[in-house]
Amino acid sequence: MFRSRAEKKVVEAGYDPARLPPGQYLTDTWPVLHAGDVPSYPPDLSGWDLRVHGEVDTPLVLTWAELAALPTVTVVQDIHCVTRWSRFDAELTGVPWSTIRERVGQRPGARFAIAHAEHGFTANIPVEFLEREGAMLCTHADGEPLTPEHGWPLRLIVPGKYFWKSAKWLRAIELSAVDVPGFWERYGYHNDADPWAEQRYAF
Ligand SMILES: Nc1nc2c(c(=O)[nH]1)N[C@H]1C(S)=C(S)[C@@H](COP(=O)(O)O)O[C@H]1N2
Ligand SMILES: [Mo]
């Protein structure tokens, strides 16, 4: 017996239905979702930088060339959007947080990470979610550089949360002693965003 028609489709596609969080359905496309316009950058990304600041010993500013020279990991993982689509087996490549953490000297008081993206978009997570397997500053998906609408040149990937926490067009990570609700969180989305607990909305 299937719990739902969505689960039946997962099984028919050859996947373990336990991978589908409650209330989600499987898509084999990669939908595009965001508020506002896709930012445009010069092709060589001159002028682009990534800032890491807040509860750190040594704030860091990386140019694109510096970021692109850092070692990467590739992790195949499932993504779950609050609008109910899930995509399985996305192959995501990027710089793991541990590399950045060591460079900046993350302070013990850093309890939350606030991702800052273009156009003032922000997303907040407990800092330990940056430590999870698959969490990364992501540059490539399925072996190709991110497309502009999926966040080129850099987006955050936060496994274990609905996908809105994975800020596209990332420009800074701020480590903070206090939590600061992000763009969608202020809009009424659940602060914790656990897809397995269906933490979609705050109301
Ligand atoms: N900068 C930025 N990042 C964002 C958003 C946004 O509005 N701005 N939306 C989030 C939401 S709601 C989702 S579901 C995912 C969608 O990512 P995708 O378009 O690559 O599927 O991006 C997240 N990251
Ligand atoms: Mo979303």
Side-chain angles (χ1 to χ4, degrees):
M1 274 300 288
F2 298 109
R3 280 181 298 158
S4 64
R5 188 195 299 231
E7 191 178 280
K8 185 164 183 275
K9 280 187 75 177
V10 171
V11 173
E12 283 168 359
Y15 296 108
D16 178 355
R19 284 170 67 178
L20 191 70
Q24 297 293 109
Y25 68 88
L26 182 65
T27 174
D28 51 14
T29 64
W30 188 359
V32 171
L33 249 110
H34 54 260
D37 297 328
V38 175
S40 61
Y41 301 99
D44 66 356
L45 292 170
S46 56
W48 184 96
D49 59 14
L50 178 76
R51 265 181 83 207
V52 184
H53 62 109
E55 291 287 322
V56 297
D57 291 332
T58 316
L60 179 68
V61 181
L62 292 172
T63 65
W64 175 252
E66 290 166 336
L67 180 90
L70 297 176
T72 60
V73 292
T74 296
V75 180
V76 175
Q77 50 185 298
D78 301 344
I79 58 190
H80 309 294
C81 175
V82 70
T83 64
R84 298 185 182 273
W85 57 266
S86 289
R87 185 183 168 217
F88 288 172
D89 292 337
E91 187 194 301
L92 301 172
T93 301
V95 178
W97 173 249
S98 52
T99 305
I100 306 286
R101 183 192 60 212
E102 279 150 29
R103 301 235 344 220
V104 296
Q106 179 176 319
R107 290 185 177 157
R111 294 181 53 225
F112 299 92
I114 318 298
H116 294 263
E118 300 291 352
H119 310 318
F121 181 91
T122 58
N124 56 311
I125 49 166
V127 79
E128 53 272 17
F129 276 80
L130 291 178
E131 305 283 348
R132 293 207 166 184
E133 157 97 29
M136 62 176 78
L137 309 178
C138 172
T139 57
H140 291 68
D142 304 315
E144 299 289 335
L146 291 171
T147 59
E149 54 284 2
H150 286 301
W152 183 80
L154 188 70
R155 76 178 300 165
L156 192 61
I157 291 293
V158 184
K161 299 284 192 193
Y162 282 122
F163 206 37
W164 86 75
K165 299 282 189 182
S166 294
K168 304 195 274 192
W169 313 298
L170 185 69
R171 292 299 301 275
I173 299 278
E174 176 189 2
L175 298 184
S176 171
V178 295
D179 201 6
V180 183
F183 177 88
W184 290 111
E185 292 78 6
R186 289 195 299 270
Y187 190 79
Y189 284 24
H190 197 292
N191 198 54
D192 299 334
D194 178 355
W196 299 98
E198 277 210 86
Q199 293 171 330
R200 297 177 194 274
Y201 308 107
F203 44 84

